[in-house]
Amino acid sequence: MTAVLTIENLHQIFEQNTVNENHVLKGINLTIESGEFVTIIGGNGAGKSTLLNSIAGTLPTTTGKICLHGTDITKKSVTKRSKDISRVFQDPRMGTAVRLTVEENLALAMLRGQKRGFRSGVQKKDRAFFKEQLASLGLGLENRLQTEIGLLSGGQRQAITLLMATLQRPELILLDEHTAALDPKTSLTVMELTEKLITQQKLTAFMVTHDMEDAIRYGNRLIMLHQGNIVVDVSGTEKETLTVPQLMDLFHKNSGTELKDDQLLLV
Ligand SMILES: Nc1ncnc2c1ncn2[C@@H]1O[C@H](COP(=O)(O)OP(=O)(O)OP(=O)(O)O)[C@@H](O)[C@H]1O
Ligand SMILES: [Mg+2]
């Protein structure tokens, strides 16, 4: 079976050949199999978002090759990739259209990756489907179909953004600190919802987090980035039994740098 995603020797260099040159990703090699739920951790500026942006196509790659199910997508447009790759960002305002209602946003999500424009008006059969999907979130949002998204809380919006990202099963879902802007209680609700959606649909996922405990608790593979290199990559039972001190040890051993406990947790 072909892997869902393969990344070969990916480099990202910003402002190349200038005094401001910034070599952010330094030859990333990765193979992600179907159903892998990968948590990605690393300090500020380690290259986590740059990696996700490269996969989604919002950043052209400096060099390297990215394949989805064996097909080279390195030069494919963001729109074309978005048919297979969905994203959820940190800012709850990024994933939804603020002036549209909940059901209109969901209708938009049904068109992900298509060239066809959005026609206002939601079909009756779609409405029933949306209602059922919203009810499954367990947040009472099934009664808010006609509410403008902008009137909902950050947590409610992130829950809907997650639903939109998975409404049509993506080949790959990219989550970039999608609970970081939420209070701890809401963050936990959204995180649990994330885990439920990913496991139920057997999705292949990348989830960036700053929280080492979350990176350990969720997912079945953990990758740590440091200055544009992968310094830790654990899965299976090693991941299941991993503790924060062990993770810090691994980081120290592989990167040659001491990781301060608060370096990741408090940002
Ligand atoms: N579009 C861009 N143009 C120029 N430099 C960029 C761009 N995107 C990111 N960078 C730089 O690349 C480096 C890595 O940024 P990136 O956003 O990938 O880090 P990160 O690991 O996601 O960090 P954080 O935890 O702060 O979100 C930073 O030095 C950043 O300034
Ligand atoms: Mg980032």
Side-chain angles (χ1 to χ4, degrees):
M1 209 173 65
T2 33
V4 172
L5 185 80
T6 53
I7 299 177
E8 284 171 38
N9 201 24
L10 173 66
H11 285 263
Q12 280 297 10
I13 309 174
F14 295 113
E15 302 190 58
Q16 198 170 12
N17 303 322
T18 73
V19 284
N20 296 322
E21 181 167 304
N22 190 1
H23 198 157
V24 174
L25 295 180
K26 298 171 183 156
I28 300 288
N29 287 294
L30 256 184
T31 300
I32 308 291
E33 304 293 343
S34 178
E36 279 195 306
F37 176 2
V38 186
T39 56
I40 301 180
I41 196 157
N44 285 115
K48 306 179 297 295
S49 297
T50 302
L51 176 62
L52 264 54
N53 289 335
S54 310
I55 297 168
T58 48
L59 268 180
T61 55
T62 309
T63 57
K65 186 174 167 188
I66 302 175
C67 292
L68 192 72
H69 283 302
T71 305
D72 188 346
I73 59 162
T74 320
K75 300 269 183 279
K76 251 194 185 180
S77 71
V78 180
T79 315
K80 283 212 174 109
R81 293 188 207 194
S82 70
K83 189 171 163 287
D84 299 310
I85 303 173
S86 64
R87 303 190 75 176
V88 182
F89 297 92
Q90 180 172 341
D91 186 343
R93 291 169 300 187
M94 294 276 286
T96 45
V98 63
R99 292 261 167 247
L100 297 184
T101 63
V102 170
E103 63 177 14
E104 285 168 339
N105 269 281
L106 291 169
L108 262 182
M110 297 286 277
L111 298 174
R112 178 163 48 84
Q114 290 181 23
K115 278 228 173 85
R116 207 146 52 88
F118 175 65
R119 281 166 297 159
S120 57
V122 174
Q123 308 253 325
K124 214 168 161 185
K125 68 165 178 24
D126 286 339
R127 184 169 289 140
F129 173 63
F130 296 159
K131 223 176 162 134
E132 181 192 303
Q133 293 297 310
L134 286 163
S136 74
L137 301 179
L139 299 170
L141 289 165
E142 64 277 18
N143 303 316
R144 309 293 296 273
L145 280 170
Q146 268 92 35
T147 303
E148 259 185 35
I149 282 272
L151 299 175
L152 298 179
S153 71
Q156 289 171 326
R157 286 178 75 167
Q158 281 309 65
I160 292 173
T161 309
L162 266 174
L163 183 60
M164 287 168 65
T166 53
L167 208 53
Q168 299 185 85
R169 189 178 185 281
E171 293 301 323
L172 181 66
I173 180 168
L174 307 174
L175 310 159
D176 196 348
E177 299 193 57
H178 68 304
T179 67
L182 308 174
D183 64 77
K185 186 166 166 280
T186 315
S187 169
L188 181 63
T189 309
V190 173
M191 206 55 110
E192 283 173 351
L193 185 64
T194 306
E195 189 178 40
K196 191 175 103 180
L197 287 170
I198 290 175
T199 35
Q200 271 178 358
Q201 295 192 37
K202 298 191 172 59
L203 298 177
T204 310
F206 272 88
M207 183 177 85
V208 172
T209 172
H210 259 118
D211 188 322
M212 282 196 269
E213 285 181 353
D214 277 353
I216 288 171
R217 184 178 311 133
Y218 300 103
N220 46 31
R221 182 168 172 186
L222 180 150
I223 284 174
M224 196 173 212
L225 278 179
H226 176 63
Q227 295 176 354
N229 291 301
I230 294 175
V231 290
V232 176
D233 184 353
V234 288
S235 52
T237 35
E238 194 186 0
K239 159 80 171 62
E240 276 166 36
T241 57
L242 192 68
T243 61
V244 171
Q246 279 173 349
L247 179 56
M248 291 174 71
D249 272 358
L250 271 176
F251 173 82
H252 178 57
K253 209 166 68 193
N254 298 347
S255 71
T257 332
E258 202 70 60
L259 179 72
K260 290 187 210 80
D261 198 12
D262 59 1
Q263 204 169 330
L264 286 165
L265 290 169
L266 301 180
V267 246

